[in-house]
C-alpha cells in the first residue's frame, strides 16, 4: 500500500492514514484516523519521521478505510437526539451562543468550528446516545457573528429538538462539514456580505481567522486553509462548560445524594449476601446488581462508565474491567474496590469506595488511611485564585510519599453535567496541561488518590468536589481564595481506617462527613432496616 508522492514525500490520507518509513525497512505502515488526529500531533509525528529518514507527510484525500469496509461497514447509530430542558441546563442555548459571540468579537475572529461532541451537546442543550456511557451524538457546530449551525443526521432529530432549535440554529447534514468549512475559508462572497468585506479591506484590518480547538482534526484545519486562516487554541466552549452554573451545581448536589443512597443500599446488600447468606457472587453479578439499584433512582439515564467491580488482586489493576466469562468470585476475606458512576438528567456521578468484609491486614489498613488522608487534604485545601490542579496534586500524595509510596494515575479529573464523566480542561495531577488552566469557582472535579500493590490488593477512594470561593481572614494580593465542597455521599469503610494515623482535625472531618451522609440519605431507607443498620454503623463517630 505504501507509495511515494510526486514530491518525494510520504503520502498520508486526509481522513485515514499516514505512512512511516524507518531506516532499513520498507512498507512500514502506521495507520492514523485523520479526522481525530490534531495538527500538533501530526507535526510532532512528522518531526520524528524526518529524524528517522522519512521525507514527511502530504495530504491524500482518498479514504482507504472506507474502501476496505465497502458495503460491510456497520451503520452509524440512529439513536434520537434529546432536548435537555432549562430546569437541568440553567441557561438557554441562545444565551450561550451570544456569550460565545462576544468572545469571537474580542478575539477578532471570523467564527468557531466545534468538533468535540460534548461541547456541541452542551452549547445547544442537547443530549444523545451514540457513544456508550456518554450522552453525546455525532455532530459538529459552527458559530459565527451572525449564524449558528448544527451538523447532524437530521433523521435523529425529534419534533421537540426541532422546536427547540427553531430559526436560531440552522441544521445541516453531518457529512457537509468539510465542504462547508472550505466554503467559509473562501471568505464573504454573497452580495449581503460585500459591504462588510469592503469595509474590512478599506480599514486595512487583517483578515479574520477561524478558530478551532487544539483538539480539532487536521482535516478541518486543512479545509479552512491551514495556518494562514486558522487560529488553534484551547476550546472556548470547553472553558465555559467546565464552569458550572447555579442550576448545574444544584443538580450535582441532588444527583449525588440519590446516587450515594444507591451505593449505600448496594454495599449493605453485598455484605449481607456474602456474610449472612454465604452467596457466591462474581464481580459482574455484583456490578449488575448495583446498576439495577441505581436504575430506580429519579432522573437515571444510564451508567457513566463500565463499573470497576474488583476483588483482591484485581483491585490493584487501575482500569480493571470484569468480564462475565473470566471475572473473579468476590472473596469476603479480601479487599473489594468498586469504582462506578451514573448519568442522571441533573448530573454525572463517579464514586470509588474500597471495602473489606473480613479482617484487613495492617498494611491494607495503613494504606487505606494514608489514601484517606490524601482525600481529606484536597477536600480541605484553601488556595488563591490562579492556582492550578497541577499545584494541588502533591497535597494528595504527601502522606504516601512520607512512607515511600505513590500511585500511577492523576488525582482528579473534571466531570461533566450529564455529559462525559472525564471532562477537560481542568484536573488535579502531574500532566502539563493541568498547569495551564487555573481552577475556578464552579469547576467540578474528582478527588481520588490511591495505592496499589501488584498481585495483592488495591486501594482507591474517590469523591466528587466542587470549587467555590471561600472567606479567609486575610486577602493577600487582593485575590479571592477558593476551596472545595464535596458532594459524594457514601461512607468510608470503618474496618480499613486506622484511627491512630489520623490527626484530631482529620477525625473531626470524617465524623462530620459521615454525619452529613446520614442526614442527607437516611430518608431513602424508610422500611429498609438492613440498609439503615449498615448506614448507621458505618457513619457512627470514630
Amino acid at each position: 500500500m505504501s507509495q511515494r508522492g510526486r514530491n518525494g514525500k510520504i503520502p498520508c490520507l486526509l481522513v485515514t492514514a499516514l505512512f512511516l518509513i524507518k531506516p532499513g525497512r520498507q512498507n512500514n505502515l502506521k495507520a492514523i484516523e485523520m479526522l481525530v488526529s490534531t495538527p500538533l500531533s501530526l507535526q510532532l509525528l512528522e518531526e520524528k519521521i524526518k529524524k528517522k529518514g522519512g521525507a514527511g507527510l502530504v495530504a491524500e484525500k482518498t479514504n482507504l478505510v472506507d474502501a476496505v469496509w465497502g458495503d460491510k461497514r456497520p451503520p452509524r447509530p440512529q439513536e434520537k437526539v434529546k432536548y435537555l430542558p432549562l430546569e437541568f441546563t440553567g441557561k438557554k442555548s441562545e444565551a450561550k451562543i451570544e456569550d460565545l459571540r462576544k468572545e469571537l468579537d474580542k478575539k477578532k475572529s471570523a467564527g468557531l468550528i466545534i468538533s468535540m461532541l460534548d461541547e456541541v451537546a452542551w452549547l445547544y442543550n442537547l443530549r444523545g446516545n451514540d457513544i456508550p456511557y456518554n450522552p453525546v451524538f455525532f455532530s459538529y457546530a459552527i458559530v459565527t457573528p451572525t449564524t449558528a449551525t448544527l451538523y447532524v443526521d437530521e433523521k435523529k432529530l425529534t419534533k421537540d429538538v426541532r422546536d427547540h432549535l427553531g430559526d436560531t440554529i440552522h441544521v445541516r447534514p453531518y457529512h457537509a462539514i468539510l465542504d462547508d468549512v472550505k466554503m467559509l475559508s473562501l471568505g464573504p462572497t454573497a452580495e449581503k456580505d460585500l459591504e462588510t468585506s469592503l469595509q474590512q479591506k478599506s480599514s486595512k484590518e487583517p483578515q479574520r481567522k477561524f478558530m478551532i480547538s487544539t483538539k480539532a482534526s487536521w482535516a478541518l484545519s486543512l479545509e479552512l486553509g491551514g495556518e494562514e486562516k486558522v487560529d488553534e487554541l484551547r476550546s472556548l466552549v470547553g472553558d465555559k462548560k467546565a464552569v458550572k452554573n447555579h442550576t448545574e451545581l444544584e443538580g450535582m448536589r441532588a444527583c449525588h445524594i440519590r446516587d450515594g443512597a444507591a451505593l449505600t443500599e448496594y454495599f449493605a446488600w453485598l455484605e449481607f449476601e456474602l456474610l449472612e447468606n454465604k452467596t457466591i457472587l462474581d464481580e459482574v453479578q455484583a456490578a449488575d446488581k448495583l446498576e439495577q439499584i441505581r436504575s430506580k433512582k429519579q432522573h437515571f439515564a444510564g451508567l457513566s462508565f463500565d463499573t470497576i467491580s474488583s476483588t483482591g488482586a484485581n483491585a490493584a489493576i487501575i482500569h480493571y474491567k470484569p468480564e462475565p466469562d473470566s471475572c473473579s468470585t468476590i472473596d469476603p476475606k479480601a479487599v473489594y474496590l468498586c469504582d462506578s458512576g451514573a448519568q442522571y438528567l441533573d448530573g454525572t456521578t463517579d464514586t470509588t469506595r474500597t471495602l473489606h468484609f473480613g479482617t484487613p491486614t495492617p498494611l491494607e489498613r495503613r494504606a487505606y488511611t494514608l489514601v484517606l488522608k490524601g482525600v481529606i487534604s484536597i477536600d480541605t485545601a484553601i488556595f488563591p485564585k490562579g492556582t492550578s490542579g497541577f499545584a494541588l496534586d502533591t497535597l494528595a500524595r504527601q502522606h504516601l510519599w512520607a512512607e515511600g509510596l505513590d500511585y500511577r494515575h492523576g488525582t482528579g479529573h473534571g466531570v461533566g453535567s450529564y455529559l462525559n464523566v472525564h471532562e477537560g480542561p481542568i484536573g488535579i495531577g502531574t500532566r502539563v496541561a493541568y498547569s495551564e488552566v487555573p481552577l475556578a469557582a464552579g469547576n467540578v472535579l474528582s478527588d481520588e488518590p490511591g495505592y496499589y500493590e501488584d498481585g495483592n490488593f488495591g486501594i482507591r477512594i474517590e469523591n466528587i468536589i466542587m470549587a467555590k470561593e471561600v472567606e479567609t481572614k486575610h486577602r493577600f494580593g487582593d485575590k479571592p481564595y477558593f476551596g472545595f465542597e464535596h458532594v459524594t455521599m457514601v461512607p468510608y469503610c470503618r474496618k480499613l481506617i486506622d484511627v491512630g494515623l489520623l490527626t484530631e482535625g482529620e477525625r473531626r472531618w470524617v465524623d462530620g462527613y459521615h454525619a452529613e451522609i446520614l442526614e442527607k440519605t437516611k430518608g431513602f431507607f424508610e422500611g429498609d432496616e438492613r440498609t439503615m443498620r449498615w448506614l448507621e454503623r458505618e457513619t457512627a463517630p470514630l
Side-chain angles (χ1 to χ4, degrees):
M1 294 174 66
S2 178
Q3 60 178 3
R4 288 190 176 271
R6 292 179 182 176
N7 58 3
K9 290 188 176 181
I10 305 165
C12 72
L13 301 177
L14 177 61
V15 293
T16 306
L18 57 83
F19 295 79
L20 306 180
I21 296 295
K22 291 185 179 180
R25 293 187 182 182
Q26 294 181 348
N27 299 323
N28 188 351
L29 172 64
K30 174 73 172 179
I32 292 181
E33 177 58 62
M34 299 303 292
L35 275 173
V36 294
S37 296
T38 66
L40 178 59
S41 67
L42 294 179
Q43 178 184 339
L44 296 173
L45 187 54
E46 185 172 38
E47 291 174 1
K48 291 182 179 180
I49 291 171
K50 290 181 176 180
K51 286 181 180 178
K52 293 180 178 294
L57 306 176
V58 63
E60 168 59 56
K61 293 189 177 182
T62 303
N63 188 330
L64 295 184
V65 171
D66 280 353
V68 171
W69 271 116
D71 58 4
K72 295 182 180 180
R73 178 175 180 171
R76 284 187 177 274
Q78 291 299 310
E79 299 283 347
K80 295 296 183 182
V81 176
K82 297 168 286 188
Y83 164 57
L84 190 63
L86 188 62
E87 65 178 293
F88 299 117
T89 65
K91 193 169 188 175
K92 293 183 177 180
S93 55
E94 293 90 342
K96 294 179 181 180
I97 292 168
E98 284 308 308
D99 286 347
L100 206 53
R101 285 180 174 144
K102 291 176 183 177
E103 293 295 327
L104 295 180
D105 185 59
K106 287 180 185 177
K107 296 181 181 297
K108 307 297 181 184
S109 175
L112 175 66
I113 289 78
I114 304 164
S115 58
M116 299 291 285
L117 303 187
D118 61 330
E119 294 180 6
V120 177
W122 176 87
L123 180 65
Y124 291 152
N125 288 344
L126 302 173
R127 298 296 187 269
N129 196 29
D130 286 353
I131 309 295
Y133 308 116
N134 300 284
V136 297
F137 53 98
F138 289 114
S139 57
Y140 290 92
I142 296 178
V143 176
T144 73
T146 57
T147 64
T149 308
L150 170 65
Y151 291 82
V152 67
D153 183 347
E154 293 188 54
K155 296 192 296 292
K156 298 166 69 171
L157 304 183
T158 63
K159 183 180 183 301
D160 286 344
V161 170
R162 290 182 180 278
D163 290 344
H164 162 65
L165 297 176
D167 298 327
T168 304
I169 302 167
H170 306 293
V171 177
R172 293 275 293 149
Y174 175 76
H175 292 290
I177 182 66
L178 291 180
D179 289 338
D180 282 9
V181 296
K182 187 170 185 177
M183 289 297 295
L184 283 173
S185 72
L186 299 177
T189 56
E191 289 184 8
K192 64 180 181 179
D193 292 328
L194 183 58
E195 183 179 351
T196 301
S197 180
L198 290 172
Q199 287 176 351
Q200 288 180 346
K201 290 179 180 178
S202 63
S203 64
K204 296 182 180 180
E205 286 187 8
Q207 181 181 0
R208 294 194 171 194
K209 296 183 178 182
F210 284 91
M211 291 191 295
I212 62 173
S213 163
T214 51
K215 294 183 179 180
S217 71
W218 189 42
L220 283 175
S221 178
L222 286 180
E223 294 299 336
L224 281 167
E227 294 181 4
E228 293 184 358
K229 294 186 178 182
V230 174
D231 280 329
E232 293 180 44
L233 71 166
R234 193 176 71 244
S235 172
L236 297 176
V237 180
D239 284 0
K240 291 181 178 297
K241 177 168 56 64
V243 179
K244 275 56 177 178
N245 60 42
H246 174 76
T247 299
E248 291 171 321
L249 294 175
E250 281 296 308
M252 279 292 188
R253 294 183 182 101
C255 75
H256 275 86
I257 292 173
R258 297 193 303 274
D259 197 65
L263 279 163
T264 293
E265 181 181 344
Y266 166 66
F267 290 139
W269 168 86
L270 183 59
E271 180 181 278
F272 181 81
E273 291 298 322
L274 293 175
L275 301 185
E276 301 299 326
N277 285 349
K278 308 297 182 183
T279 305
I280 305 300
L281 291 168
D282 66 36
E283 296 162 326
V284 170
Q285 290 172 322
D288 289 345
K289 177 65 176 182
L290 175 55
E291 182 176 3
Q292 179 188 9
I293 294 172
R294 272 193 168 115
S295 67
K296 298 176 182 178
K297 299 302 178 187
Q298 184 185 27
H299 300 319
F300 178 81
L303 300 183
S304 55
F305 57 96
D306 276 314
T307 297
I308 301 174
S309 171
S310 52
T311 184
N314 292 339
I317 304 171
I318 295 172
H319 296 294
Y320 176 73
K321 179 185 175 182
E323 298 290 352
D325 297 330
S326 60
C327 68
S328 298
T329 298
I330 296 176
D331 182 358
K333 297 180 181 179
V335 158
Y336 175 71
L337 187 154
C338 181
D339 186 346
S340 66
Q343 296 285 4
Y344 299 91
L345 298 182
D346 51 352
T348 301
T349 70
D350 183 0
T351 304
T352 307
R353 287 296 182 264
T354 305
L355 296 88
H356 204 297
F357 303 108
T359 303
T361 67
L363 176 59
E364 289 168 343
R365 295 184 71 226
R366 190 171 192 86
Y368 183 93
T369 309
L370 293 174
V371 169
L372 175 58
K373 289 166 74 71
V375 170
I376 297 170
S377 293
I378 293 292
D379 188 281
T380 57
I382 304 293
F383 49 94
K385 180 180 179 180
T387 303
S388 69
F390 185 91
L392 296 182
D393 183 69
T394 57
L395 297 179
R397 299 178 192 269
Q398 60 178 316
H399 310 286
L400 290 163
W401 282 358
E403 301 202 9
L405 304 175
D406 202 354
Y407 50 94
R408 295 188 181 97
H409 59 73
T411 297
H413 55 81
V415 180
S417 179
Y418 184 32
L419 274 173
N420 298 354
V421 72
H422 281 226
E423 177 180 270
I426 46 92
I428 303 173
T430 57
R431 294 183 184 179
V432 174
Y434 291 159
S435 68
E436 298 171 351
V437 188
L439 299 177
N443 286 159
V444 178
L445 310 99
S446 66
D447 172 9
E448 51 178 313
Y451 174 70
Y452 311 90
E453 190 166 290
D454 291 345
N456 193 1
F457 69 92
I459 304 289
R460 184 162 64 253
I461 303 172
E462 178 182 19
N463 287 348
I464 299 303
I465 53 178
M466 308 193 305
K468 63 178 183 177
E469 187 169 345
V470 298
E471 292 294 327
T472 53
K473 183 177 181 180
H474 303 287
R475 197 180 175 93
F476 183 81
D478 199 29
K479 289 183 177 181
Y481 278 70
F482 297 145
F484 293 113
E485 171 192 351
H486 50 251
V487 292
T488 302
M489 291 290 129
V490 184
Y492 301 123
C493 181
R494 292 180 63 87
K495 283 185 178 181
L496 284 166
I497 299 175
D498 184 342
V499 179
L501 293 177
L502 299 177
T503 66
E504 181 60 32
E506 290 166 339
R507 287 197 295 272
R508 286 198 303 269
W509 185 93
V510 172
D511 286 344
Y513 177 59
H514 279 163
E516 181 183 3
I517 293 170
L518 178 62
E519 180 61 29
K520 289 183 176 179
T521 63
K522 64 182 180 181
F524 288 90
F525 309 122
E526 294 180 3
D528 185 353
E529 294 183 5
R530 182 179 67 200
T531 302
M532 195 64 204
R533 284 196 304 271
W534 188 92
L535 176 63
E536 288 176 338
R537 185 194 76 200
E538 293 300 306
T539 58
L542 294 177

